[in-house]
Amino acid sequence: MAPAAMRTAAQSLADAKPVSFWLDDPGRPEALPALTGDEHCDLLVIGGGYSGLWTALLAKEREPERDVVLIEGRETGWAASGRNGGFCAASLTHGLPNGLERWPDEIKKLEELGARNLDAIEAAVARYSIDCEFERTGEIDVATQPHQLEELREWHQEAERHGFGGVEFLDEDALRAEVDSPTFLGGLWDRRGVAMLHPAKLVWGLKQACLDLGVRIYEHTRGLELARTGTGMAVRTPYGKVLARRVALGTNIFPSLVKRVRPYTVPVYDYALMTEPLTEDQLAAIGWKNRQGLGDSANQFHYFRLSADNRILWGGYDAIYPYGGRLSADLDQRPETFLKLAGQFFECFPQLAGVRFSHAWGGAIDTCSRFSAFFGTAHQGRVAYAAGFTGLGVGATRFGADVMLDLLAGGPTERTALEMVRTKPMPFPPEPLAWAGIELTKRSLARADDNGGHRNLWLRTMDRVGLGFDS
C-alpha cells in the first residue's frame, strides 16, 4: 500500500470501536443466571449460538412437552453468531460448486433442502416476530479479475445445465448499475438464495422464542465434562450438573466434549469493519438500491453488505490460523488486518473517500476440510453433534439442528440418508503439520489470485484428496 493510501486507511480507523457492531446495541438483553445445583431434562443443548438455539427451538416445536435445557458458557450469541456478516444463505454445501464437486449425485436434493431451510428461517422470523432486519435481497458474486469473470460465466452455464434457476449473470455495465465500483467486471446474482439480517438480533429473538416455549436457559454455564449415567448422560458444569436423556452439542469451534471430533475442525480468525452511516449523497455515488450482499470471487475474498441504517460492513480477506488452534480474545483484534481491509475498501469504493469506520472486530469460526458441516453421534446415540459450518452457519445451523434431532430420535429421515450426513471430512493432521499445511495452502491461494487463478501442484493435490482451507 502506498504511503498516502496507508495514511488514509489509518485515519479512517482512528475512532473505530474494538467490538462487533452487531453486539454493540442498546437492545442487547441482560444475561440469564448461571446454573447452580442439579438440573434434569429430556434434552440438554450445549451452546447458545445459532446451532444450539435452533436445536432447542425445533425440539420444542416437534414435541412441545419435551423438557429442554440449554447451557451457554458466556452469553447467547457472544461468539461467531453475534459477529458474522449477517449473510443467511440457502446453500448447505458452501456454494453450488463445492456441492457439485463433493456430492454430485445428491446435489439436487441438497439444493432443495437448503431452499426449504431458508424459507423456514424466514417463516420462523415472522412467526416469532423476530425483529432481525431480515431482507431477502440475494447475493452477487463479483469478478474483479478477467479469469474470475470467465469462471463465473462457466458456473452460470453449469448451474443452468443442472436446472438450477434464479441465478442471473451480470456483465460489467449491469453489475455497476446495481453497485458501482471501478473494480467490478461482472457478477452472478443469486436473487432468492441469500437473505441479509442483523445476526445478533436473530440470536436474541431465537433466545426469547425458546424461553417463551419453556426452554430453560442458563448463561455463564460451561459444559465441562460429558459422561454416561444410567440410561442418560451427565454434564458437569462449574456449579452443578445436568442429567439428561439426550444431549445435542452446538459448540462448533470450541473444543467438543466428544474428543474424537476435535481433529475435524480448526479455528480461523476472520475480521470485519463497519463504516459510519452513509449520507444520501454517498449512497447515491455507489447505487446499491437493491441492497444485495456482495462477495468477490478471489480465493482471499471480501464480503460486504449494507446495514439497516446504510452502513457498509466490509470483511474477509485475511483468514488467520493460530499455531496449535489457539483460541484467545487477544486474537480478536488485529490492527494490521484492519489497516489492510480499510485500504482495500477505498480501492473498491474510491468515491467514498473520507468515510470513517465506527467498528473493527474479529473472532474465530470453525472450518473443516470440506467447507460444510458434518454430523455424528456418540455414546450409543445419546449424544449428537454438528460442526464445521465454515462461515455459512447463519442459515445452515438450522438444518444442522434438524439433523441432530433426527439422529437423537434414531429413525431414518431424508436428512440422515444423505451422504453429506453419513460421511465425515478428512481430519486435519496434528501439529506442526496442520500449521505448515495451512500456511502453504494460504500462500498458494494468494499466488493463484495473482496468477490468473492458476492452481499450483500443492493446491491440485489438495483438490484431489478433498482437503481445503477456507473461512
Side-chain angles (χ1 to χ4, degrees):
M1 194 186 308
M6 185 172 293
R7 284 194 298 273
T8 297
Q11 290 166 359
S12 72
L13 292 163
D15 300 318
K17 298 172 69 172
V19 295
S20 165
F21 167 78
W22 311 116
L23 295 173
D24 185 28
D25 189 291
R28 183 173 182 169
E30 292 293 324
L32 296 171
L35 172 66
T36 58
D38 294 352
E39 258 283 20
H40 299 76
C41 60
D42 297 323
L43 173 66
L44 171 63
V45 179
I46 302 179
Y50 296 137
S51 188
L53 289 165
W54 278 119
T55 303
L57 184 65
L58 293 176
K60 293 295 283 186
E61 288 184 345
R62 289 187 184 197
E63 297 180 48
E65 71 281 2
R66 181 161 23 187
D67 191 22
V68 180
V69 168
L70 183 148
I71 61 173
E72 160 56 42
R74 289 180 57 174
E75 295 181 29
T76 51
W78 74 274
S81 296
R83 61 181 178 230
N84 62 81
F87 287 64
C88 186
S91 178
L92 305 175
T93 61
H94 210 273
L96 179 60
N98 191 54
L100 274 170
E101 176 68 24
R102 298 182 186 279
W103 302 289
D105 294 336
E106 59 185 28
I107 188 63
K108 289 189 177 180
K109 172 59 69 175
L110 289 166
E111 290 289 299
E112 175 194 335
L113 288 169
R116 281 162 44 187
N117 183 64
L118 182 55
D119 288 343
I121 292 171
E122 185 171 15
V125 166
R127 183 166 64 255
Y128 294 107
S129 300
I130 299 175
D131 181 18
C132 63
E133 301 165 9
F134 189 98
E135 300 179 274
R136 200 152 175 178
T137 55
E139 180 180 5
I140 302 176
D141 292 327
V142 173
T144 58
Q145 298 290 336
H147 73 272
Q148 296 169 9
L149 186 62
E150 290 309 307
E151 289 170 358
L152 290 181
R153 287 185 191 275
E154 291 170 5
W155 274 115
H156 183 236
Q157 294 167 0
E158 186 80 1
E160 289 188 327
R161 277 198 299 271
H162 286 272
F164 299 122
V167 180
E168 178 183 351
F169 182 82
L170 304 176
D171 62 19
E172 181 176 351
D173 290 341
L175 175 56
R176 293 186 65 173
E178 293 292 332
V179 186
D180 191 18
S181 166
T183 67
F184 292 175
L185 302 180
L188 281 183
W189 184 1
D190 181 352
R191 287 182 172 268
R192 291 285 299 166
V194 185
M196 298 293 108
L197 52 77
H198 188 303
K201 288 183 178 180
L202 176 60
V203 168
W204 301 332
L206 291 173
K207 174 183 175 180
Q208 188 59 52
C210 286
L211 292 170
D212 290 344
L213 292 181
V215 177
R216 298 191 300 287
I217 298 177
Y218 298 94
E219 296 182 290
H220 295 289
T221 301
R222 288 182 59 206
L224 301 175
E225 186 179 18
L226 178 70
R228 294 272 295 273
T229 175
T231 59
M233 302 298 301
V235 175
R236 184 169 60 86
T237 68
Y239 305 117
K241 66 177 181 291
V242 184
L243 301 173
R245 292 180 58 250
R246 297 288 184 267
V247 176
L249 299 177
T251 50
N252 294 299
I253 191 51
F254 299 100
S256 177
L257 292 179
V258 177
K259 292 183 180 179
R260 69 171 183 268
V261 176
R262 296 179 185 180
Y264 289 101
T265 62
V266 295
V268 179
Y269 276 80
D270 180 55
Y271 299 91
L273 306 174
M274 184 70 93
T275 71
E276 62 192 356
L278 300 188
T279 66
E280 289 186 8
D281 288 344
Q282 288 168 332
L283 193 58
I286 57 174
W288 219 338
K289 294 178 182 178
N290 289 313
R291 301 181 57 81
Q292 310 94 328
L294 284 89
D296 63 52
S297 301
N299 293 308
Q300 292 181 292
F301 63 92
H302 302 92
Y303 54 88
F304 40 118
R305 51 139 325 169
L306 290 170
S307 67
D309 59 350
N310 290 328
R311 301 167 185 264
I312 297 178
L313 178 143
W314 177 264
Y317 194 79
D318 278 346
I320 305 301
Y321 169 71
Y323 184 86
R326 182 169 65 96
L327 292 171
S328 172
D330 293 341
L331 300 173
D332 292 352
Q333 290 290 307
R334 197 166 191 268
E336 60 267 42
T337 291
F338 298 144
L339 191 64
K340 187 185 303 180
L341 283 172
Q344 293 163 341
F345 174 86
F346 291 114
E347 288 176 9
C348 182
F349 294 121
Q351 61 270 55
L352 297 182
V355 165
R356 298 174 75 86
F357 295 99
S358 63
H359 295 75
W361 71 94
I365 62 174
D366 62 332
T367 190
C368 71
S369 61
R370 72 185 191 189
F371 310 147
S372 52
F374 63 91
F375 314 89
T377 61
H379 295 282
Q380 296 184 317
R382 301 175 186 184
V383 177
Y385 57 83
F389 290 95
T390 316
L392 262 68
V394 181
T397 44
R398 186 193 174 280
F399 173 81
D402 261 331
V403 171
M404 284 195 283
L405 292 172
D406 289 350
L407 292 172
L408 291 173
T413 69
E414 64 178 342
R415 287 178 287 265
T416 60
L418 293 167
E419 181 184 355
M420 176 189 180
V421 172
R422 293 184 289 104
T423 61
K424 298 281 195 301
M426 290 188 67
F428 290 94
E431 297 293 10
L433 296 178
W435 186 86
I438 288 171
E439 284 300 304
L440 181 55
T441 300
K442 287 171 54 181
R443 292 174 187 177
S444 298
L445 289 170
R447 283 198 293 270
D449 285 337
D450 294 335
N451 193 27
H454 175 73
R455 298 174 76 82
N456 63 17
L457 179 60
W458 175 260
L459 292 179
R460 295 197 302 273
T461 301
M462 294 298 99
D463 292 341
R464 283 195 294 271
V465 301
L467 274 171
F469 177 76
D470 200 5
S471 65

